Amino acid sequence: MRIRTALTAAIVITSGLLTACDTGDGDPLSESAAVMCEDFVTQRLKSPGTAEFPGVWDADYAVTKVLSDTKPWKYEVTGVVDSENSFGGIVRSEYVCTVSTKDDDTWTLDDMQLTQR
C-alpha cells in the first residue's frame, strides 16, 4: 500500500513538473484527476490489491475530459483496470469516473460507472 501511495505521489509530482514546463494550454489538474479516479476505482474492486492500470505510455491509458474549467474544476476520466474477480481470475473492467476539486487537495467523486468486460 505504501508503494502504491508513493507511486501515486510520484506520478502527481512528475506530471505537475512536466505541466509547469509546458508552454501550451495544458490543464495541470487533468493528470491529478486521472490519478484520483484510479484510487476511487481501486476502492470499489472485489480485490483492490490486485488492481493494475495501464501505464502513461500504453495505448489504453485513461482519457481525461474537462467538464468545467472554473472552480470547482470537474473532470470525466475514462479508462480500464485489470484485477482479480471473486474466483481469482483476472478480468478487465472499464470505468467512467467524474471527479471535482476546488483546490487540488480535496477531490470529490461525483459519479462512477464500473463495468466488467
Side-chain angles (χ1 to χ4, degrees), residues 92-112:
R92 175 160 282 197
S93 299
E94 297 175 344
Y95 64 88
V96 179
C97 170
T98 306
V99 292
S100 57
T101 184
K102 294 179 182 176
D103 55 15
D104 193 28
D105 288 329
T106 305
W107 286 84
T108 302
L109 176 63
D110 299 321
D111 188 38
M112 166 84 63

Side-chain angles (χ1 to χ4, degrees), residues 17-75:
L17 292 173
L18 291 174
T19 303
C21 296
D22 185 15
T23 57
D25 294 334
D27 179 7
L29 297 179
S30 289
E31 192 63 33
S32 294
V35 171
M36 292 309 302
C37 278
E38 285 185 5
D39 287 342
F40 287 128
V41 167
T42 299
Q43 293 171 19
R44 281 157 180 74
L45 296 172
K46 292 202 184 275
S47 184
T50 65
E52 290 191 26
F53 294 88
V56 175
W57 304 113
D58 292 336
D60 50 1
Y61 183 67
V63 175
T64 304
K65 177 181 173 184
V66 178
L67 299 179
S68 172
D69 59 358
T70 58
K71 284 187 180 181
W73 296 285
K74 194 170 196 172
Y75 300 87

